[in-house]
Amino acid sequence: MRTIVVADTPIINDKTAPFSGSVMDGSLYGEDLLYTKYSDRICANWLHFYDPESGIGLYLVSVSSVKQINVTDIANLTEYSRTTHEACVDLTPETHLEHGHTYFTTVWAFNGANNQKNVSAISNGVTVDQTEPVSGHVIDGNKTDFKDIQFSGNAARVEVQWRDYYDPESTIKQYEVQVQAAPNLTDNYKITRDFEPYSNTTESVKWLNFHFQHKDKVKLFLRTTNGAHNSIVNSTDGYVIDITPPNLLYLGDGFVQHKDLEFQSDAKNLSCNFKFIDEESGLDHFQIQIYEQYQSIRSLIFPATQNDWMQLDDETVNEFIDSSLDLLQGAVYSIRIGAVNKAGFVAAFETNGVKIDRTPPIVSRLHVNTLADDEEQVVYGYVYQADTNGIKAAWQASDHQSGIVSFKIAVGSTSGGDEVKSWTDIGLKKETYIDGLSLVVSDIDTKTPVYYVSLVAINGAGLESSPVTSTPIVVVESDRPGIVIDGTDNTDHDPVSKIGVDIDYQSDISTLSVQYTGFESHLHGVMDYEWAVGTTPGGQDVATFSADGILHVEEQNIAGDGRICFVINSILLKYGLQQTQR
């Protein structure tokens, strides 16, 4: 009796060894590492070992410190199945790898024949590098001078650049960049784009597909990995998104802050004053252009190149002056100033312009002792007045370019002098009463002292006219009121030489009598009188003002140059009728 059992697999007559493949360092299949960061283990992977007859039956793996197949001083032979193609060998403390040394992995492949044959291959070695890469510098932005940016005016663009990263042992294998952002100037950073790898020759990265908001803070992280897979991570100091231009507080022609000059006489210097602020990124610099408008033609005169700007690098300045120009009479010059913030945004504004006026104003008339358009009364080359406290004056002046902006006036005892009243700005008046004076009555015969009013007109460009002096003024005694008495005392003889004594009571109910004398006017002389009667002081309810019934007494050299000395006036009151008796 017998039993027949058949083997699961046939017996293959295989007298040849397997074909050798490749052994690579590292645990990534198909990738050969030149460096490792581990000291307590070593990894390898292999491929292309095969046997066409009996196939691969198993693998044995060993590690050595020299490139010799039979040396196993680091790790003895370890068996792995035929389906295994990578392995990591854990090392004992006594066999830990040393920094800077190179180690080799040997793979033995055995076929599936009864009399197994083998083939071996050894790796090209892996060097131990336990140090990290040496850090360089990484900054925001991509300026050619490797200058870090603190602000950006582009909400879609992110740029970063770095330099001076290196590894003396295993070199740099790759770089990776991550982007984080925090809203509204806070530090609540979140990842907006995770690490993306770049080759070891990359020195900068630029993206154009972000969507940041105003006042977002952006920070970038750079991960640098060496050939041994040691990595370091460095970050930039970050920057702020500012998508608003600077704000203009004021801008004007001229160098006086907060003032706007409309006209000027200076044909060499042109200036402007200004103030900008930028609360987010601050001001970086200013840029300037100068325009000329002459005879309806507008042109850029500075800088000479069309559409070019002159840059002012001092962001703290608040005025600009150009002293190299040749400005034309009647032309208007404006300055265009652009304020650039640190995010690159520009706010450009232009002054309303200043007109060049190099001709002074003209005073065509100056009259004294009169106002408005009244003609002054000149007697033998002099104007007479009785006022010792002030002088009336009126004038006309013109300036067709920049206009009159103010007048100055003075009073002197000599022509053009200011001994009595120093030069005083009186604004834009066309007439005035110059008060506060203490004038001395002139000697009529010698005409001393006499007084003069002087006037200067100032135009919008600051130019003053030549002083204009008035006709000389002679001051005479002021008008004096005389005395008035009631009654007819001392009127009973002819001619009447003087008035009598004033009465307070009378018995006559039908007649009122009055006498008056002493009225004087050196300026014009007393030429006439009128009288009125009333039941109240100044009243006219009994008789209105009239010249009827006045008795004139003529004398030579009447004080005040008048013609009346004494007058007696009688009024009859009866039955509501008024009758005058002389």
Side-chain angles (χ1 to χ4, degrees):
M1 300 292 294
R2 65 181 177 179
T3 300
I4 300 174
V5 178
V6 179
D8 293 337
T9 58
I11 298 173
I12 299 175
N13 185 16
D14 185 0
K15 299 180 180 181
T16 62
F19 288 92
S20 177
S22 300
V23 179
M24 292 173 285
D25 298 292
S27 60
L28 300 177
Y29 183 75
E31 182 176 346
D32 184 30
L33 295 182
L34 298 178
Y35 301 91
T36 181
K37 65 179 178 178
Y38 301 108
S39 62
D40 58 351
R41 61 176 175 165
I42 190 167
C43 300
N45 67 92
W46 53 90
L47 67 163
H48 303 321
F49 285 89
Y50 72 99
D51 189 292
E53 292 86 8
S54 59
I56 301 298
L58 59 90
Y59 296 100
L60 295 178
V61 178
S62 65
V63 181
S64 62
S65 60
V66 293
K67 194 173 184 179
Q68 294 182 15
I69 293 176
N70 295 322
V71 177
T72 60
D73 58 334
I74 301 302
N76 291 322
L77 290 170
T78 302
E79 182 179 334
Y80 293 92
S81 70
R82 62 185 181 84
T83 59
T84 302
H85 295 90
E86 64 269 345
C88 289
V89 178
D90 293 327
L91 306 177
T92 63
E94 295 79 11
T95 59
H96 277 185
L97 308 181
E98 297 181 11
H99 175 73
H101 287 216
T102 303
Y103 299 89
F104 305 87
T105 300
T106 301
V107 175
W108 299 78
F110 291 81
N111 64 15
N114 285 335
N115 185 16
Q116 287 182 309
K117 297 186 179 298
N118 64 76
V119 69
S120 63
I122 192 169
S123 70
N124 59 2
V126 62
T127 302
V128 178
D129 180 5
Q130 294 179 309
T131 60
E132 297 176 342
V134 178
S135 178
H137 301 89
V138 57
I139 61 172
D140 300 293
N142 193 22
K143 291 190 175 182
T144 55
D145 55 355
F146 202 77
K147 184 178 180 181
D148 184 42
I149 67 170
Q150 300 298 318
F151 304 92
S152 173
N154 194 321
R157 182 175 61 197
V158 171
E159 292 180 287
V160 62
Q161 61 177 324
W162 58 88
R163 66 184 181 187
D164 300 333
Y165 284 86
Y166 69 96
D167 191 288
E169 294 87 10
S170 58
T171 70
I172 301 299
K173 180 182 179 181
Q174 71 172 18
Y175 298 101
E176 297 170 273
V177 179
Q178 182 190 74
V179 182
Q180 296 186 15
N184 200 29
L185 300 179
T186 66
D187 292 324
N188 301 324
Y189 286 98
K190 293 183 179 180
I191 296 175
T192 57
R193 179 163 295 180
D194 210 348
F195 284 107
E196 290 190 8
Y198 296 91
S199 72
N200 58 0
T201 61
T202 306
E203 294 181 339
S204 64
V205 173
K206 178 180 179 179
W207 290 291
L208 297 173
N209 55 355
F210 284 86
H211 303 281
F212 294 120
Q213 302 297 317
H214 182 57
K215 294 185 179 182
D216 277 356
K217 292 172 65 175
V218 180
K219 183 179 290 189
L220 291 104
F221 293 82
L222 176 69
R223 183 159 63 194
T224 306
T225 304
N226 65 11
H229 287 191
N230 283 310
S231 297
I232 57 172
V233 177
N234 301 104
S235 70
T236 66
D237 58 0
Y239 62 91
V240 176
I241 300 297
D242 180 5
I243 55 177
T244 60
N247 292 323
L248 173 66
L249 298 185
Y250 61 83
L251 172 64
D253 295 289
F255 58 85
V256 180
Q257 298 297 311
H258 298 280
K259 300 293 184 181
D260 182 32
L261 194 65
E262 295 185 16
F263 305 93
Q264 72 175 49
S265 59
D266 191 342
K268 288 293 182 184
N269 299 296
L270 193 67
S271 60
C272 69
N273 65 93
F274 52 85
K275 182 68 174 180
F276 288 86
I277 61 171
D278 192 289
E279 296 179 351
E280 292 82 14
S281 61
L283 299 174
D284 184 73
H285 66 273
F286 298 100
Q287 49 194 28
I288 300 290
Q289 290 179 330
I290 299 178
Y291 289 87
E292 175 188 81
Q293 183 165 345
Y294 184 63
Q295 297 179 346
S296 301
I297 299 176
R298 174 180 164 88
S299 57
L300 175 68
I301 64 171
F302 181 81
T305 304
Q306 190 68 21
N307 298 323
D308 199 4
W309 295 81
M310 186 197 77
Q311 183 167 314
L312 302 178
D313 291 323
D314 187 356
E315 74 278 4
T316 65
V317 299
N318 56 9
E319 66 179 30
F320 167 76
I321 300 176
D322 191 330
S323 303
S324 63
L325 302 174
D326 188 11
L327 308 179
L328 302 177
Q329 167 72 14
V332 177
Y333 295 89
S334 59
I335 299 177
R336 185 172 179 82
I337 179 167
V340 185
N341 65 15
K342 293 179 180 178
F345 267 98
V346 181
F349 295 88
E350 188 172 343
T351 66
N352 58 4
V354 60
K355 189 173 185 179
I356 306 303
D357 180 7
R358 292 183 285 177
T359 59
I362 298 174
V363 178
S364 57
R365 187 183 71 180
L366 173 60
H367 288 173
V368 290
N369 201 28
T370 182
L371 296 177
D373 295 329
D374 295 341
E375 293 293 328
E376 65 180 8
Q377 301 298 317
V378 180
V379 179
Y380 299 112
Y382 295 90
V383 172
Y384 289 77
Q385 74 169 49
D387 189 353
T388 60
N389 297 317
I391 300 174
K392 293 183 288 185
W395 55 87
Q396 286 184 351
S398 62
D399 188 289
H400 298 296
Q401 289 79 31
S402 57
I404 305 294
V405 296
S406 67
F407 294 95
K408 293 193 301 183
I409 205 164
V411 179
S413 56
T414 59
S415 180
D418 62 349
E419 302 89 352
V420 178
K421 184 179 182 65
S422 59
W423 287 101
T424 304
D425 193 317
I426 57 173
L428 277 172
K429 296 178 181 178
K430 294 295 181 67
E431 59 186 25
T432 189
Y433 176 70
I434 310 170
D435 58 3
L437 307 181
S438 296
L439 306 180
V440 178
V441 175
S442 307
D443 185 303
I444 299 300
D445 296 329
T446 62
K447 301 296 189 297
T448 56
V450 292
Y451 299 95
Y452 301 85
V453 174
S454 297
L455 181 76
V456 168
I458 305 171
N459 67 10
L463 295 176
E464 296 185 358
S465 68
S466 300
V468 176
T469 302
S470 70
T471 304
I473 302 168
V474 174
V475 180
V476 298
E477 294 285 353
S478 60
D479 294 349
R480 295 181 181 177
I483 60 173
V484 181
I485 67 170
D486 298 298
T488 60
D489 181 52
N490 203 31
T491 62
D492 55 353
H493 60 275
D494 192 18
V496 177
S497 61
K498 61 181 180 179
I499 63 175
V501 178
D502 181 63
I503 64 173
D504 293 327
Y505 301 95
Q506 71 176 42
S507 59
D508 189 347
I509 62 174
S510 61
T511 303
L512 284 177
S513 298
V514 65
Q515 302 176 61
Y516 50 90
T517 187
F519 289 89
E520 298 180 5
S521 177
H522 288 269
L523 185 61
H524 302 106
V526 178
M527 303 301 294
D528 231 335
Y529 292 95
E530 291 184 350
W531 55 267
V533 179
T535 57
T536 59
Q540 304 178 54
D541 52 314
V542 177
T544 59
F545 277 104
S546 172
D548 295 337
I550 297 178
L551 174 63
H552 298 278
V553 178
E554 304 292 343
E555 290 185 3
Q556 297 294 326
N557 298 323
I558 298 299
D561 299 320
R563 52 175 279 199
I564 299 174
C565 181
F566 299 102
V567 175
I568 299 174
N569 190 24
S570 300
I571 302 173
L572 176 63
L573 303 178
K574 188 175 182 180
Y575 306 116
L577 300 176
Q578 301 176 7
Q579 181 178 356
T580 301
Q581 294 182 345
R582 181 174 297 175

